[in-house]
Amino acid sequence: MHPKSPKSVLKNTFGYDAFRGPQQKIIEHLLHGGDALVLIPTGGGKSLCYQIPGILKPGVAVVVSPLIALMQDQVEALRQNGVKAGFLNSTLSFDEALQIEREMAQGALDLLYVAPERLVTPRFLELLTQCTIALFAIDEAHCVSQWGHDFRPEYMQLALLAKNFPGVPRIALTATADPIVRDEMMENLHLTQARQFISSFDRPNIRYRVVVKNNPKKQLLDFLKSEHDGDSGIIYCLSRKKVEATASWLKEMGYNALAYHAGLPKEQRAENQRRFITEEQVIVVATIAFGMGIDKPDVRFVAHLDLPKNLESYYQETGRAGRDGLPANAWMAYSLGDAVFLRQMIDGSEGNEEYKRIQHQKLSAMLGFCEITSCRRQSLLAYFGEEAKDPCKNCDTCLSPVETWEGTTQAQKALSCVYRTGQGYGAGHLIDVLLGRVTDKVELYGHDGVSTFGIGKELKEKEWRSVFRQLVAMGALSVNAQTSGLMLNGTSLPILRGKKEIHFRVDAITGGRSYTSGTRKKASRLMEEVCTSPGTRALWDKLKAFRMETAKELSIPPYLVFNDATLADLIEKMPTDDLEMLSVSGIGQQKLSSYGDEIMAIIDEHLKEYI
Ligand code: ADP
Ligand code: ZN
C-alpha cells in the first residue's frame, strides 16, 4: 500500500480497514480536483470524505461548520488520531486565534474548522489568499436552504468561495434527504456542476418499535431495564412539564436522568448537554429543542413518549441513535390521546387551510406508520422516496408479525355511536355507551336511550380504545378542534354503509422485548451481543472504566478516547501485541501509542484470570 494512498490513511490514521459506501469515490473525486455534493445519512461517515483528502493534498482543508460544539469535537477527534487540525470560533481568545492563523499560513495545519460568519469576513478571505488551500468542505450544507428547518443566513454568502477561489475543490455535505433542499443547496452554493453522491438513507442498525400506551411509565421502565442497563439515551416528550416530571421520576428510579427544554436557564441547558456528552450512562429527557449539534456516537436508544408531528421529525430524532453503527433502539409509545391531541393542535393553529391540510397529511403518514402491519423500515424509506426490496428483520413488525382481525361490524358500531350521540364526544364516553354503562354523563345526555347503547359488549374497553384509535389513525374519524370530540367525515361513510372491509391490528401490550421468550438477565442489548464468553462483561466494565478515567484526565468526551465500536472490537479480538492492536477498528498509529500499552495490560490481566 502506498503510504500516501487514501486506503493507507484510512488504516494508519483512523484505524479502519475498509471504506464505507461512497467514501472512496468521493475522496478520489476530490483528489482529482472535482466538486461534490454529498448526501449521506447520519452516522454514514461523512467526515472522512473531506478529512482524508485534506490530509493527502498539499495545503489546508477549510471546513465550514455551523456549530461550535461539533467543530471542537471533530478537531479533538482528529488530534486524538494525530492529525494536525485546529478551529477558529468565538470561544478562542484573540491571541489563540492569531496563533491558529499563523499555523495555517505556515502550512502547519491539514484541517481548519471555521464558523461561516468568520470565513466570509474580508480579513479572513485575505488571509486565505496567502495560503495553499486543499479544498473547502461545507458541512451541514442544508443550512443554506430557506425551505429546510435550519436556515442560516450566513451560509448564503458561501457562494463567494466559487468566485474567489476558482480551481479549489468544494464539497458540500448533508444528511437531509429532501429534494427541494438539495436543489437549493446546489443553487445557493454554486454547485450545479458538482458531482452528486447520494447514499441510501437507511439506518440498518436502528431497530424501530412502536407500542400502544398502556401504563407508559411501566412500559418505559421495562424497556430500559430489559435492554438499556447502563446506556446513554434520549427520551422525547412534547411538553416541558412532562419532560420535568419524567426526568425526576427516572431519577427516583435510580437513573442518571437530566431534563432539557427551552424553558431552562441557558447555563443549565449547557451543563446538562455537557454532562450528556462527557459522562456515560446519562439519559436526557427532552423536548425537540435537544439534539441539533449533538454528535455523540454512542446514543444507544431514542424513546418517544409522545407522538412526533410527522415522519420527518421522527426520522431526524430517532436518527440520533447509533451513529457509531452499533445496535440501537428507536422505541415509541403512543395512544389515541396523542392522535387526538395533534389533530386538534393542527386545526387550532394559525396557519391557513392549505398549511393545515399538509400538516394533517403528514400526521396521517405518521399515524399510518404507527399502525402498519408490515415492515416499518420499508414504509419509512418509501416515505422518503426509497424502495427497500425486502422486509428488514430489524423492526418490531418483522420480528413478531402483527395479528389482525376483521372488524367491519365493530367499525360500523363505533362510527354509528359517534353519529347517534351527536358527534361531540371523546372515545371514553362513546365506549361507555357501546358497553351499556349508565354513567352520570350517559344519564345526563340521555345516551342510554340511543340505538347504539349497549350494542358493543363483545369487546372489552381496551379493545374498543384500540378500535377508536385505529379509526382516527386511518382518517375515518375527525377531531373537533374546540371540543376534541370525534366526528364523522367523508371516509366514514363507505364504512358505515358496509362498502369497505376493515381490518384492525391486535395491539401488543408489552413495553420491552415482547418478541423474545424466556427471562433474560439485565444487560444492555449491545453488551449482550458483544459479551458472549465468560468474564467478558467484567472486561467490558474495566475497559469502560479506563476510557472514563482517561477522558477525565484529558477533559474530553469518553468516545474520543475510543468509541463503542472499538470497545466491542477489543473484546472480540482481545489483542495482546501491537500488530493485533492495529487490527482493531478505530485504533490507528496514534491511538496505539497513546493507549495501546494500558489497554493491553487490562486485557492481559483478564486473560490470566479467565483462560
Ligand atoms: P456523519 O458525519 O455522516 O454522521 P461521521 O463522519 O461522524 O458520520 O462517522 C460516524 C462514525 O462512523 C464515526 O465514529 C466514524 O469514525 C465511523 N466511520 C466512518 N467511516 C468509517 C469506516 N470506513 N469504517 C469504520 N468506521 C467508520
Ligand atoms: Zn422490518
Side-chain angles (χ1 to χ4, degrees):
M1 208 161 35
H2 191 276
K4 289 224 125 192
S5 70
K7 196 92 196 276
S8 72
V9 177
L10 181 72
K11 180 71 194 157
N12 296 326
T13 304
F14 295 95
Y16 299 138
D17 286 325
F19 283 111
R20 271 191 196 158
Q23 281 176 335
Q24 185 162 10
K25 283 209 181 98
I26 297 167
I27 291 167
E28 279 165 7
H29 184 65
L30 287 174
L31 288 174
H32 287 116
D35 294 335
L37 187 71
V38 172
L39 283 79
I40 296 183
T42 306
K46 281 184 284 301
S47 332
L48 287 187
C49 298
Y50 55 82
Q51 288 171 345
I52 291 182
I55 293 167
L56 284 171
K57 279 188 81 151
V60 62
V62 178
V63 185
V64 184
S65 174
L67 294 154
I68 289 177
L70 284 192
M71 205 185 272
Q72 290 172 204
D73 218 50
Q74 292 250 0
V75 167
E76 190 50 51
L78 284 164
R79 287 182 179 158
Q80 284 291 316
N81 282 324
V83 179
K84 294 171 288 179
F87 61 80
L88 280 174
N89 63 34
S90 54
T91 65
L92 296 185
S93 70
F94 183 75
D95 285 341
E96 285 169 327
L98 218 56
Q99 171 65 21
I100 294 283
E101 288 179 6
R102 210 172 292 132
E103 284 176 24
M104 178 173 80
Q106 288 163 355
L109 286 182
D110 279 329
L111 287 124
L112 176 83
Y113 285 71
V114 61
E117 55 277 12
R118 183 182 291 246
L119 175 66
V120 296
T121 57
R123 182 174 169 278
F124 193 76
L125 290 170
E126 169 61 27
L127 183 72
L128 281 181
T129 59
Q130 296 159 27
C131 305
T132 311
I133 304 169
L135 60 95
F136 287 106
I138 301 166
D139 206 3
E140 313 286 350
H142 59 276
C143 290
V144 78
S145 156
Q146 312 210 32
W147 167 262
H149 330 274
D150 304 323
F151 177 59
R152 294 188 159 232
E154 59 278 15
Y155 260 66
M156 292 297 269
Q157 295 180 53
L158 296 175
L160 63 76
L161 295 177
K163 239 190 295 130
N164 289 26
F165 303 93
V168 177
R170 289 175 304 136
I171 171 174
L173 310 100
T174 182
T176 308
D178 191 324
I180 303 178
V181 175
R182 189 192 316 166
D183 289 346
E184 264 194 277
M185 275 166 51
M186 280 193 312
E187 203 57 42
N188 296 345
L189 294 172
H190 289 257
L191 278 169
T192 39
Q193 304 296 316
R195 188 150 146 210
Q196 297 192 16
F197 297 88
I198 300 172
S199 0
S200 162
F201 272 76
D202 188 19
R203 303 285 311 280
N205 59 317
I206 298 182
R207 177 173 292 177
Y208 298 102
R209 225 174 324 161
V210 180
V211 302
V212 172
K213 277 184 200 167
N214 170 33
N215 194 348
K217 274 186 176 170
K218 182 175 176 303
Q219 287 168 302
L220 177 67
L221 205 59
D222 282 350
F223 167 68
L224 294 178
K225 274 189 180 159
S226 62
E227 296 177 53
H228 291 292
D229 183 38
D231 284 343
S232 299
I234 306 174
I235 299 172
Y236 285 109
C237 305
L238 221 53
S239 71
R240 294 173 185 184
K241 211 167 116 198
K242 188 157 166 186
V243 162
E244 297 278 356
T246 309
S248 57
W249 168 73
L250 279 174
K251 252 183 254 167
E252 279 167 33
M253 293 289 125
Y255 287 91
N256 204 355
L258 303 172
Y260 190 103
H261 57 72
L264 291 173
K266 203 169 156 225
E267 303 74 44
Q268 183 71 48
R269 275 197 324 239
E271 169 63 8
N272 288 0
Q273 173 161 340
R274 188 194 64 74
R275 287 191 53 195
F276 183 62
I277 292 169
T278 55
E279 294 176 18
E280 303 207 58
Q281 311 191 1
V282 175
I283 296 176
V284 166
V285 187
T287 55
I288 49 172
F290 184 73
M292 172 72 176
I294 290 177
D295 224 353
K296 189 174 164 64
D298 55 355
V299 176
R300 294 268 68 86
F301 68 89
V302 168
H304 281 94
L305 284 183
D306 290 306
L307 188 72
K309 290 192 187 78
N310 51 49
L311 282 168
E312 285 87 349
S313 312
Y314 174 76
Y315 204 59
Q316 190 176 39
E317 285 148 27
T318 55
R320 292 176 183 135
R323 292 181 73 118
D324 52 14
L326 297 173
N329 278 317
W331 182 92
M332 173 161 83
Y334 109 109
S335 69
L336 171 63
D338 288 321
V340 169
F341 177 73
L342 288 178
R343 290 263 186 239
Q344 206 179 356
M345 219 163 81
I346 295 172
D347 282 327
S349 71
E350 304 266 289
N352 59 23
E353 286 311 307
E354 172 66 3
Y355 171 83
K356 289 181 188 174
R357 196 180 58 76
I358 294 173
Q359 298 308 311
H360 273 300
Q361 256 174 21
K362 291 193 170 200
L363 178 57
S364 296
M366 182 73 234
L367 290 166
F369 170 80
C370 293
E371 302 288 357
I372 200 170
T373 52
S374 56
C375 173
R376 290 205 203 270
R377 189 178 315 269
Q378 278 180 318
S379 111
L380 259 182
L381 290 173
Y383 182 79
F384 294 112
E386 202 178 311
E387 190 195 350
K389 269 216 309 288
D390 300 310
C392 75
K393 301 198 178 73
N394 194 27
C395 71
D396 52 358
T397 48
C398 280
L399 290 163
S400 70
V402 180
E403 283 177 52
T404 57
W405 57 285
E406 199 274 311
T408 313
T409 313
Q410 284 71 26
Q412 286 171 327
K413 286 182 181 178
L415 296 178
S416 165
C417 191
V418 169
Y419 182 69
R420 297 288 166 197
T421 53
Q423 311 194 53
Y425 301 92
H429 178 68
L430 294 164
I431 293 169
D432 285 339
V433 175
L434 284 165
L435 292 176
R437 291 175 177 160
V438 189
T439 63
D440 291 351
K441 202 168 166 184
V442 168
E443 263 200 312
L444 178 66
Y445 296 113
H447 288 163
D448 43 353
V450 301
S451 61
T452 50
F453 183 75
I455 61 163
K457 291 185 180 155
E458 74 273 29
L459 296 187
K460 295 195 193 79
E461 171 161 357
K462 203 185 275 170
E463 291 161 333
W464 277 118
R465 284 219 143 252
S466 171
V467 165
F468 277 102
R469 189 192 78 239
Q470 295 184 59
L471 287 171
V472 171
M474 67 179 77
L477 278 174
S478 305
V479 180
N480 184 311
Q482 267 81 47
T483 65
S484 76
L486 298 175
M487 305 181 295
L488 301 186
N489 58 35
T491 315
S492 333
L493 296 180
I495 302 174
L496 267 173
R497 292 185 184 137
K499 295 222 168 98
K500 204 172 154 195
E501 192 167 293
I502 299 291
H503 291 264
F504 293 112
R505 68 178 354 251
V506 177
D507 294 338
I509 35 166
T510 43
R513 277 193 180 123
S514 55
Y515 44 85
T516 49
S517 55
T519 48
R520 280 171 184 270
K521 64 176 189 311
K522 215 173 138 186
S524 81
R525 199 177 127 209
L526 176 63
M527 190 202 285
E528 206 172 84
E529 284 182 21
V530 172
C531 300
T532 46
S533 63
T536 37
R537 190 163 167 183
L539 180 59
W540 169 284
D541 289 336
K542 276 187 216 155
L543 288 171
K544 263 190 135 171
F546 166 74
R547 172 168 81 176
M548 193 70 228
E549 269 166 42
T550 311
K552 277 214 176 110
E553 266 165 41
L554 301 173
S555 307
I556 59 174
Y559 56 80
L560 290 182
V561 178
F562 54 78
N563 63 22
D564 282 358
T566 303
L567 176 63
D569 212 27
L570 281 171
I571 287 176
E572 162 89 30
K573 298 195 172 120
M574 299 210 192
T576 50
D577 61 36
D578 285 7
L579 210 63
E580 284 174 8
M581 199 71 187
L582 284 171
S583 76
V584 172
S585 171
I587 305 264
Q589 294 294 345
Q590 183 63 45
K591 286 201 176 160
L592 172 70
S593 68
S594 309
Y595 311 122
D597 289 344
E598 282 168 285
I599 292 174
M600 283 187 282
I602 295 171
I603 291 173
D604 269 343
E605 196 186 314
H606 168 81
L607 290 173
K608 275 190 208 121
E609 200 170 328
Y610 285 95
I611 290 167

